Amino acid sequence: AALAGAACLLPPLAGIPFGGYAAVALTLVAAVLSLPAVARALLPFLGLARSVAWRLAHARLSATPGQAVVAGAGVIASVALASAMAIMVSSFRVSVDDWLAQVLPADLYVRASPASGSGYLDPAALARIAALPGVASVDTTRLINLRLSDEEPLFSVLARPVRGNWGLPLVAGSAERPAGSDAGHDALPPAWISEAAADRLRLAVGGRLVLPLEGRRHSFVVAGIWRDYARQHGAALIESEDYLALTGDTRINDAAIRAEAGVDPKSIAEALRTAFGAEHLIVALPGEIRAETLQIFDRTFLITYLMEAVTVMIGLFGIATTFATLASTREGEFGMLRHLGFTRAEIGRLIAMEGLLTAGLGVISGLLAGGAIAWILIEVINRQSFHWSMDLAVPWGALALFAVSLVVLAALVARLAGARAMLRSAVLAVKADW
């Protein structure tokens, strides 16, 4: 565990978070090695039942806690990886949903369709949009992609109002324009950069950003850092008035429309499609954009749920093989219990309870390890790989249902795996002991 914590502090190598991957492996090893200690700590609280079968199962596991390692190692690994992925995907999905709600505060969004020839909204088109009945305000965005150097990937620059119909999910700094940076002053104009840009360019609030615009290099002061899940290689946002003053470029890519109070945005959308045609404008409501984005997100991460199912099956297979082997070596013990009055059904319940206890301990250790691995995925691996931050969102209900279902399945699997050992007659089972 200490080595895992130290590995989390290592920087990425060639953009790959080897330290984070090592921390995940070390956390799994630590969880497996700590299982006997977890068993010794928790088993005293589980021995209060009056059932004879339960007390026998509890006594055996208390006497041989190492058995929990043999049978529960697969459970720990499967639960840890499955729960870690569940927490990471849930956190990512909730963060993306919140991000969309922040960046899309307007009632309607319009994009110039490439089918229109130029792919831009000209001043005449903006005037027609603003003149439509029910439109209260229109804010525009100009998007350009450029290279900060020959070695760097494409970098995005957005020119739009920081306040208005577009949102800015800041994680550092302020949306306020720094004092002295107004047009006409000698101070550097402000820019707000994404987390990816801050990491890749090693910039913080107050730093200096240089952008090549219209063949000239212009300097900006970093006024804030914002969360951006749309552009992995970095982006910078500057005020529209600053961009226009520096470049003279009046072309527009997108427009955000705020409807007047009481006006249905869908009616404005229909008016836009009628006035411009579907080939010239792409019109979308915020709810439609969010729904489509989350649908793509769910399809993308569907494979992770399939992988989680595979890991759970591997853990159950480990339970089955372990208890099948143990049951075959305990035929004499089961025969003696039969002589003492146990029925085959009661011995089956005994094996199921041992499987339940073993899996329960493995699930507890696995969930603890899964929480640690989820933190590594979110704060180390994801941040070093994609430069995105997330808000932790634990799916408590889903994890509880998963844990209970896995423990019940493990008890059933252990019972089925030990069925063969109960078929032998009680006399023959203890014959070797005579």
Side-chain angles (χ1 to χ4, degrees), residues 98-104 160 166-172 193 195 225-229 237 389:
D98 292 342
W99 174 75
L100 288 170
Q102 294 181 63
V103 299
L104 302 174
R160 71 184 188 203
W166 299 95
L168 189 63
L170 287 173
V171 296
I193 61 176
E195 292 176 311
I225 299 172
W226 54 288
R227 182 176 293 177
D228 182 21
Y229 292 129
L237 187 150
S389 66

Side-chain angles (χ1 to χ4, degrees), residues 29 58 73 76 92 136 150 158 188 203 227 243 271 273 275 280 306 334 351 360-361 387 396 431:
V29 173
H58 178 271
I76 290 178
F92 197 9
D150 295 336
L158 297 91
L188 296 177
L203 289 174
R227 182 176 293 177
Y243 177 78
R273 295 187 181 100
H280 292 79
L306 299 178
F334 295 150
I351 297 175
L361 294 173
H387 310 286
W396 296 107
K431 183 178 180 181

Side-chain angles (χ1 to χ4, degrees), residues 174-211:
S174 171
E176 299 293 336
R177 191 179 182 95
S181 63
D182 296 328
H185 289 72
D186 293 334
L188 296 177
W192 292 262
I193 61 176
S194 67
E195 292 176 311
D199 286 354
R200 295 178 67 89
L201 302 177
R202 295 180 176 83
L203 289 174
V205 175
R208 181 174 178 177
L209 173 68
V210 179
L211 297 176

Side-chain angles (χ1 to χ4, degrees), residues 265-311:
K266 293 183 180 179
S267 64
I268 300 178
E270 290 300 323
L272 284 168
R273 295 187 181 100
T274 302
F276 291 90
E279 295 184 355
H280 292 79
L281 288 183
I282 300 174
V283 183
L285 298 170
E288 297 173 346
I289 299 174
R290 291 175 65 184
E292 182 178 356
T293 303
L294 293 177
Q295 185 179 20
I296 295 172
F297 181 96
D298 292 335
R299 286 202 305 266
T300 302
F301 283 92
L302 177 61
I303 186 63
T304 63
Y305 303 123
L306 299 178
M307 293 172 62
E308 290 174 15
V310 171
T311 60

Side-chain angles (χ1 to χ4, degrees), residues 102-114:
Q102 294 181 63
V103 299
L104 302 174
D107 299 310
L108 197 65
Y109 291 89
V110 175
R111 171 168 293 175
S113 173

Side-chain angles (χ1 to χ4, degrees), residues 40-396:
R40 285 191 292 268
L42 295 181
L43 284 175
F45 300 99
L46 301 175
L48 305 178
R50 301 178 64 87
S51 167
V52 175
W54 178 269
R55 288 160 61 189
L56 283 173
H58 178 271
R60 179 176 179 83
L61 197 58
S62 298
T64 58
Q67 175 185 323
V69 176
V70 177
V75 174
I76 290 178
S78 61
V79 171
L81 295 177
S83 59
M85 289 301 298
I87 294 172
M88 191 275 289
V89 172
S90 174
S91 300
F92 197 9
R93 195 183 193 280
V94 170
S95 298
V96 168
D97 195 13
D98 292 342
W99 174 75
L100 288 170
Q102 294 181 63
V103 299
L104 302 174
D107 299 310
L108 197 65
Y109 291 89
V110 175
R111 171 168 293 175
S113 173
S116 63
S118 64
Y120 302 109
L121 296 172
D122 56 24
L126 292 173
R128 290 174 61 190
I129 294 173
L132 288 175
V135 175
S137 62
V138 179
D139 285 336
T140 61
T141 294
R142 173 74 172 106
L143 170 65
I144 59 173
N145 292 313
L146 48 82
R147 293 189 184 275
L148 301 181
S149 67
D150 295 336
E151 297 79 18
E152 288 288 328
L154 285 178
F155 187 88
S156 299
V157 177
L158 297 91
R160 71 184 188 203
V162 175
R163 294 183 176 275
N165 297 339
W166 299 95
L168 189 63
L170 287 173
V171 296
S174 171
E176 299 293 336
R177 191 179 182 95
S181 63
D182 296 328
H185 289 72
D186 293 334
L188 296 177
W192 292 262
I193 61 176
S194 67
E195 292 176 311
D199 286 354
R200 295 178 67 89
L201 302 177
R202 295 180 176 83
L203 289 174
V205 175
R208 181 174 178 177
L209 173 68
V210 179
L211 297 176
L213 301 174
E214 295 295 323
R216 297 182 57 190
R217 298 177 66 83
H218 300 279
S219 297
F220 300 83
V221 60
V222 176
I225 299 172
W226 54 288
R227 182 176 293 177
D228 182 21
Y229 292 129
R231 289 158 284 265
Q232 180 182 342
H233 299 301
L237 187 150
I238 59 178
E239 290 274 11
S240 299
E241 58 184 21
D242 292 329
Y243 177 78
L244 183 60
L246 294 173
T247 65
D249 183 7
T250 60
R251 293 172 295 180
I252 297 299
N253 300 96
D254 304 319
I257 300 173
R258 182 81 66 177
E260 294 178 352
V263 176
D264 187 359
K266 293 183 180 179
S267 64
I268 300 178
E270 290 300 323
L272 284 168
R273 295 187 181 100
T274 302
F276 291 90
E279 295 184 355
H280 292 79
L281 288 183
I282 300 174
V283 183
L285 298 170
E288 297 173 346
I289 299 174
R290 291 175 65 184
E292 182 178 356
T293 303
L294 293 177
Q295 185 179 20
I296 295 172
F297 181 96
D298 292 335
R299 286 202 305 266
T300 302
F301 283 92
L302 177 61
I303 186 63
T304 63
Y305 303 123
L306 299 178
M307 293 172 62
E308 290 174 15
V310 171
T311 60
V312 170
M313 292 182 64
I314 292 173
L316 291 176
F317 181 76
I319 288 282
T321 54
T322 301
F323 274 86
T325 303
L326 290 175
S328 65
T329 63
R330 296 168 62 190
E331 289 184 355
E333 175 189 339
F334 295 150
M336 183 59 66
L337 290 174
R338 292 284 306 282
H339 280 289
L340 293 174
F342 264 57
T343 64
R344 283 191 173 93
E346 288 174 326
I347 293 176
R349 285 196 293 271
L350 169 64
I351 297 175
M353 289 176 183
E354 290 180 3
L356 185 145
L357 278 172
T358 302
L361 294 173
V363 166
I364 291 173
S365 298
L367 289 175
L368 294 175
I373 293 174
W375 182 89
I376 296 171
L377 290 173
I378 293 172
E379 298 295 338
V380 181
I381 296 178
N382 172 76
R383 190 59 192 262
Q384 293 183 1
S385 298
F386 305 105
H387 310 286
W388 292 333
S389 66
M390 302 179 198
D391 298 322
L392 183 65
V394 180
W396 296 107

